[in-house]
Amino acid sequence: MSQIDAEKLKENWSVVAAHGGDNVAHWFYGHLFVHHPEARPLFAPSMTTQRDRLVGALGHVVSHVDQVDELVPYLQDLGRDHRKFGAVAAHYPAVGESLLATLEHFSYDVWTTELADQWGEAYGLVTEVMVAAADEAAKTQPPFWEAKVADVDQRTFDIAVIRLTTAEPYPYRAGQSCAIEFSDRQPRLWRWYTPANAPGSTELEFHVRLLPGGPVSTSLVRSAHVGDAVRLGPPFGRLTLIDESDRPLLLIAGSTGLAPMKALVAQLARDGGRRRAALYFGARTVREAYDARALDELNARHDWLSVTTAISDDSSWRGTQGLVGEVALDAQDWTGHDVYVCGSPGMVDATLEFVAAHGVPGEHVRYDEFGESK
Amino acid sequence: MTAEPLQPSSKPALTADDVRNATFPQTRSNGLGLDESKVYAFQEQVADAIEQLTQRVTDQDQQIEDLRRKIVDPANQARVQQAVSVLIKAQETADSTVAEANAFSQRVATEARATFEEARHRAADQLAEAERAASRAADESVAAREDVQREADWWATYRDSLINQLQYFLSSLGTHLSEAQQQAQAESRSPAQEQGGFMPPSVPAPVSRLEPPPKDVG
């Protein structure tokens, strides 16, 4: 990207974005679908989230256009991930044309031939990286994995533990997430969940919490039946065991953030239980301790594992009370541990503050947030 | 702007000529193969159908190409812009409809959760109140029991005292009667009756209060 004037692109993008990201994205997709109506079926009926993602991705690319080391891995992930939508190399020129037309439309008088060339070159390089990554992935992986719902265990009215089966073992590392499409009921809407078991089998366990207004989570928790078809996108995420570490672990989970922690515990067990681990699970009420039996079984089965449940807002709970992050970090000195945190954004932010305040080095901390789709 | 189709039409895998020119090995068994004339007629039929379909596809591809040329024709850009605007409006309507449905779902789910939380807190409050009431009742029953116990203890002590008193009285009476009997027997053997008639000694009256028996009795 050495021929590209990054500053010119950033300046032009700021002019375009000033018209409103949603307006820009609206125009882009309108142009694309007028010229290529056959592309419309690749997208969900509502394009609100898709427009946000487009603007976010464009903004990220533009802001990092002169930071190749950061941009290339991002684009490679994007290229691999786009395969699950049915995107192929032939689509990229059409997208490029609509992108240039959109930039020109919102640039008004400042649009020049030079700018068009700059954007064309930048987009060409983006396409090259994305297509190459997709082609490389295609050698070893399908664009998505087909799965079937094998069991739906509704633990509360808004939390379900769902088991899926795949024809072949889904290739992920414990702690990684994947995008899920509930094909039978919410086609072309993908949401991210984390398997709660270690890889290696054709069964996957997911913990799903109904988000009010969330179409996919609502369908999964309230409408999923045995036999329903589901698709899984490629695995991603860094909430995995640090390969070169043999430090003991502190695992802090809030609500369905328990899923990746259970996967990590299963992986530790598979590795022989050579590393000690302390799992702290937090919920607001006793009712929301939806996997208590499994936690008790884990605690009883593994002498290298300790499990503590902390309830923050239920006077009927006779066990540990308080916010799980605070309870965990106050329990002992964890500076020599690898710390993993997963839960809602508020819970993760608060817990990370406790972690930092207790002197745990940042490079020993990994976290993931659950919440609304981004 | 070329507006090439994203996936250009591909040629059919089987053409009419393929069908017309297909040949089949002769059957070895005399009289057991298919009627060749019927096979050829069917081949011709299939070939005609394929030709018609191929022509339809070609015509439609041409129409699409004509439309694409119109779209990219600079003279039509105003109409294209209008089409884009119409599409945007339609998308906004679709987004709005879906957003309303999601908002309704969110409202219902949030209200359900709030109702549940309210019921949970109310149940917790009632449980706490029930526990407090039970605790109070337990305390009161303990106090009442203690009162009853004290009363019972008093009566038991009074009872025991009375028993002691009666026992002592009866014992004294028995002793006195025995002495009186002995005396009477002695007197019956003695003519000196003027020494005085038999009079039972005074019997101490039972005490009406919880007081040790008077020391001068017996």
Side-chain angles (χ1 to χ4, degrees), chain B residues 15-23 40 43-44 46-49 51:
Chain B
T15 65
D17 284 339
D18 290 337
V19 176
R20 281 198 187 91
N21 298 330
T23 56
Y40 293 143
Q43 278 181 268
E44 197 59 38
V46 172
D48 285 343
E51 269 184 347

Side-chain angles (χ1 to χ4, degrees), chain A residues 140-190:
Chain A
T140 55
Q141 288 182 352
F144 50 78
W145 286 258
E146 302 278 5
K148 293 276 185 198
V149 175
D151 184 58
V152 181
D153 185 355
Q154 199 153 40
R155 302 290 175 87
T156 69
F157 77 86
D158 58 352
I159 299 177
V161 173
I162 297 176
R163 275 197 304 110
L164 305 181
T165 54
T166 55
E168 295 172 3
Y170 177 69
Y172 68 103
R173 292 186 63 187
Q176 283 192 307
S177 303
C178 65
I180 288 180
E181 180 204 61
F182 194 1
S183 314
D184 275 353
R185 298 188 192 276
Q186 298 287 349
R188 290 167 285 157
L189 284 181
W190 295 80

Side-chain angles (χ1 to χ4, degrees), chain A residues 111-125:
Chain A
W111 188 253
T112 63
T113 311
E114 185 190 0
L115 258 179
D117 291 341
Q118 288 279 304
W119 278 111
E121 188 160 347
Y123 183 75
L125 289 169

